[in-house]
Amino acid sequence: GAVRGGLAMSPTPAGPDDHLPTCGNATLHAIAAERAAGRDRRPFFFGVGFHKPHLPFIVPQRFLDLYPLENITLPRNPYAPVEMPDVAWSTYGEIRAQYFDVCTLKLSGDYNVSAAHSDDMPDAIALALRQHYYAAVSFTDDNVGRVMDAIAAIDGLAEQTVIALWGDHGWQLGEHGEWCKQSNFELATRVPLIIRVPGTAGAASRGKRTRAFVELVDMYRSLADVFNLSPVEEGVEGSSFAPLLLADPTG
């Protein structure tokens, strides 16, 4: 594919994520108006998918300002594991070969456990990438907040709506000398997952964390249980973690 623009730039706008909260909030208000007028009382599902912190790391300047470059540090462990099998390594081509500011570095993407770092990403570029990733996360956090504010502003909607927030994968920022996501290092396999069940149903777990093992494939069965629905069984994986939401989050 074509080489894209650089990663370490910060012009605005930042792409579709700039517009998603506005469009999403308009849709929420339209749903609320239909319900208030009695024209449509059906349960609804509403999804908003933000792109950031996916590449490219281009975000509004105000979010970069939250993370001065002099406060950014390199990863504490930049080494590949000793005797790591070759199959465990990804050459992170998405970042190494698709953006001109990294492409011009001609990085190999290979690992070398005896080197000072396991990759050959220059420190200055690594710091800039980490800064921009943090800023992209804060940009998305702000956008999620805008949608949450819209839900809270619509009379009665927050008390009737289950809200789930999750990501699709983690991302390495030089840890183990790795970048991007195409690996089974723990950083790439862990994802954020937050679910809010309103009212007395979710009171037991509100504001709490659990050490129970859950996966994203569990969400379908879990939400079906929360809504007291019978899930489709054919081809469905996962187990319900609804008891963690409705009873004991330490289970």
Side-chain angles (χ1 to χ4, degrees), residues 172-190:
Q172 283 119 178
L173 292 159
E175 294 86 359
H176 307 296
E178 270 281 30
W179 294 86
C180 300
K181 60 191 178 185
Q182 293 89 355
S183 77
N184 275 326
F185 283 106
E186 188 171 4
L187 277 171
T189 59
R190 282 182 174 260

Side-chain angles (χ1 to χ4, degrees), residues 215-226 230-233 236-237 239-241:
E215 301 178 272
L216 295 185
V217 292
D218 298 334
M219 288 185 62
Y220 173 69
R221 293 187 183 277
S222 303
L223 293 177
D225 279 355
V226 167
S230 298
V232 174
E233 294 296 336
V236 175
E237 299 181 30
S239 303
S240 174
F241 55 74

Side-chain angles (χ1 to χ4, degrees), residues 36-38 50 55 62 116 124 136-137 159 175 192 231 233 251:
F50 292 108
L55 291 167
R62 66 184 185 277
V137 171
E159 291 73 32
E175 294 86 359
E233 294 296 336

Side-chain angles (χ1 to χ4, degrees), residues 81-135:
V82 175
E83 299 183 357
M84 177 188 71
D86 290 347
V87 72
W89 188 258
S90 167
T91 56
Y92 47 91
E94 181 182 13
I95 194 172
R96 182 173 51 81
Q98 294 190 30
Y99 296 88
F100 71 74
D101 52 351
V102 178
C103 185
T104 56
L105 301 174
K106 301 187 183 304
L107 305 179
S108 69
D110 296 330
Y111 71 92
N112 181 354
V113 296
S114 63
H117 297 334
S118 294
D119 68 73
D120 46 358
M121 185 77 73
D123 287 353
I125 300 296
L127 290 169
L129 289 169
R130 290 168 69 87
Q131 176 199 33
H132 280 68
Y133 184 89
Y134 301 156

